[in-house]
Amino acid sequence: MALWRRSSSWLTSCSRAPAGIVGGNEAKVSPEVAPEDAPDRRQEEEGEADEERWSRLLPELLTDIVRRVDAGAERWPPRRDVVACACVCRRWRDAAVSVVRPPLECGRITFPSSLKQPGPRDAPMHCFIRRNKSTSTFYLYLSLTQALTDKGKFLLSARRFRHGAHTEYIISYDSDDLYPGSNSGVGKLRSDFLGTKFIMYDNQKPYDGAKSLKSRSSRRFATKQISPNDSGSNLEVGQVSYRFNFLKSRGPRRMHCSIQCPVDQGSASDPSKETPQSTSSSLSLKNKAPRWHDHLQCWCLNFHGRVTVASVKNFQLVAPAGTSDPWGVGDEETVILQFGKIEDDAFTMDFRYPLSAYQAFAICLTSFGTKLACE
């Protein structure tokens, strides 16, 4: 069979020979046809050569280049140039990580890892959430202007699933891949039957001291679906609970949050040195009590123009006064997180230190859905 195939190929090649060449071609050697993947292989080799060329830059020159790019890109979309530098090769990525400061210090979100780092201390970071009721999906965007909504920079997405008597929100880095078991998953949010208590999970250990759950109930709710790379446990990073209102007394929802936030043990003055690891502590938050407006006949809060539509979902979270916390936010005046409605399916979300964008987004997700026992 092999001889027949070779003879058949040879006959085909002879039939395509130009006119004037007849017989006696048995001794001629035909050039070997390059495989189909040769262009791709050549491109890979050229890419490796380019990567090696870029990686041979002097460390001082490389750091200076990345620092100049970082200084010239204050906001998105120009900030994508910083991400492009980190994608050149490993040395460029290490240089970018050492140059770009976390949101707490620079007030900007650059890399996906920034979504799990504490926000700025001096001023809140302005974001907004868009909801799609038909698909039960939610999308978090970073505001690019002073307007309440704009094109925005996509940060996170979530989708609501019903698992028996419980509701779960799968949170992802990808706006389309919103299914259990996704490699782009960040974590999840799980509620009880009444929708009054929520537990926040992370698919990676964010800091030393994160609480790992290995109970039977945590394994029952698809541990592998949350973190394909961590089959040992779920990592609980917070709880949100709403107080029951069986007597139907007048007033808005009352909520309480207990969030695990990192406590810095100091910071490295030299970016080239390793930053000390952080431990965690529980941050207690409660919703700021609104006041009753006799003229408008409604409960009011000062959202400083960031909320325009009255809704039971609107809230502001503050740290209770008198609590000794290592973050210095327990004064009941500093709003750590505020969430409010501006359109039918659009909501603003403003957060600050010590919450991260991921934690703030998960807390705001608990406000969606009907809570008959709390209203």
Side-chain angles (χ1 to χ4, degrees):
M1 183 63 71
L3 292 175
W4 167 249
R5 288 181 178 174
R6 183 167 55 186
S7 175
S8 176
S9 300
W10 178 80
L11 288 174
T12 304
S13 63
C14 287
S15 64
R16 296 178 180 175
I21 300 180
V22 292
N25 291 333
E26 292 85 348
K28 292 185 177 181
V29 180
S30 300
E32 182 179 358
V33 179
E36 296 180 356
D37 60 344
D40 296 337
R41 188 178 305 169
R42 189 180 304 111
Q43 292 178 359
E44 292 179 0
E45 294 176 355
E46 293 176 355
E48 293 176 357
D50 291 340
E51 180 177 337
E52 183 179 357
R53 187 182 306 114
W54 284 105
S55 64
R56 285 200 297 262
L57 288 176
L58 293 175
E60 296 81 4
L61 177 59
L62 176 57
T63 303
D64 184 64
I65 292 174
V66 177
R67 185 177 289 112
R68 288 172 180 267
V69 175
D70 178 66
E74 292 290 333
R75 305 177 69 89
W76 288 88
R79 195 140 187 85
R80 69 180 61 170
D81 296 338
V82 182
V83 180
C85 289
C87 295
V88 173
C89 62
R90 184 180 297 276
R91 285 194 61 201
W92 281 68
R93 180 168 63 251
D94 295 340
V97 171
S98 65
V99 169
V100 177
R101 310 315 300 158
L104 175 60
E105 300 179 19
C106 68
R108 296 188 295 263
I109 292 179
T110 306
F111 303 119
S113 59
S114 304
L115 298 175
K116 292 188 178 181
Q117 296 174 345
R121 187 192 300 269
D122 298 332
M125 186 167 288
H126 292 171
C127 305
F128 62 93
I129 298 174
R130 291 197 178 277
R131 174 181 61 180
N132 189 329
K133 292 182 180 179
S134 61
T135 58
S136 298
T137 51
F138 308 85
Y139 303 93
L140 175 66
Y141 296 88
L142 176 67
S143 297
L144 303 181
T145 64
Q146 295 298 324
L148 296 180
T149 58
D150 46 38
K151 292 183 179 180
K153 168 66 177 72
F154 171 78
L155 299 179
L156 291 169
S157 60
R159 186 175 183 181
R160 182 169 53 204
F161 292 90
R162 191 74 180 179
H163 289 281
H166 301 268
T167 300
E168 292 184 0
Y169 292 83
I170 302 297
I171 305 176
S172 172
Y173 287 121
D174 197 317
S175 60
D176 298 320
D177 193 4
L178 291 169
Y179 297 94
S182 168
N183 291 328
S184 60
V186 183
K188 79 169 184 179
L189 185 71
R190 179 165 61 91
S191 74
D192 60 359
F193 172 72
L194 296 176
T196 58
K197 183 177 181 180
F198 296 80
I199 301 179
M200 189 190 312
Y201 297 99
D202 199 329
N203 67 349
Q204 293 181 353
K205 191 173 183 179
Y207 38 72
D208 292 345
K211 183 179 179 182
S212 299
L213 297 183
K214 297 184 179 181
S215 63
R216 180 178 179 182
S217 60
S218 65
R219 291 194 302 267
R220 183 179 60 192
F221 287 98
T223 301
K224 294 183 179 179
Q225 292 179 356
I226 304 171
S227 177
N229 300 323
D230 183 2
S231 59
S233 63
N234 293 332
L235 299 173
E236 181 182 334
V237 293
Q239 294 186 7
V240 181
S241 59
Y242 290 82
R243 186 177 298 181
F244 288 104
N245 187 16
F246 290 118
L247 299 179
K248 299 298 180 181
S249 58
R250 189 175 64 172
R253 295 173 177 174
R254 288 177 291 179
M255 56 189 299
H256 178 269
C257 304
S258 178
I259 309 297
Q260 293 294 321
C261 295
V263 180
D264 293 334
Q265 301 298 318
S267 59
S269 58
D270 186 358
S272 62
K273 296 181 181 180
E274 183 179 359
T275 302
Q277 292 183 346
S278 300
T279 57
S280 67
S281 183
S282 180
L283 170 67
S284 295
L285 298 174
K286 68 173 184 178
N287 64 303
K288 189 174 182 178
R291 61 181 180 85
W292 177 256
H293 198 290
D294 293 330
H295 179 69
L296 299 177
Q297 291 295 299
C298 65
W299 296 95
C300 295
L301 278 173
N302 184 8
F303 289 97
H304 302 281
R306 294 284 296 166
V307 178
T308 58
V309 180
S311 173
V312 70
K313 299 178 177 63
N314 301 345
F315 67 81
Q316 290 180 333
L317 293 183
V318 296
T323 58
S324 58
D325 64 274
W327 305 280
V329 295
D331 56 4
E332 286 197 11
E333 293 298 330
T334 302
V335 177
I336 307 300
L337 170 64
Q338 77 172 18
F339 173 78
K341 191 172 184 178
I342 54 176
E343 296 176 8
D344 187 29
D345 291 312
F347 306 80
T348 56
M349 186 196 87
D350 303 337
F351 72 97
R352 66 194 306 162
Y353 175 86
L355 290 182
S356 66
Y358 167 69
Q359 292 172 332
F361 184 44
I363 293 174
C364 292
L365 289 175
T366 66
S367 186
F368 294 99
T370 304
K371 295 174 174 58
L372 297 178
C374 305
E375 300 170 356

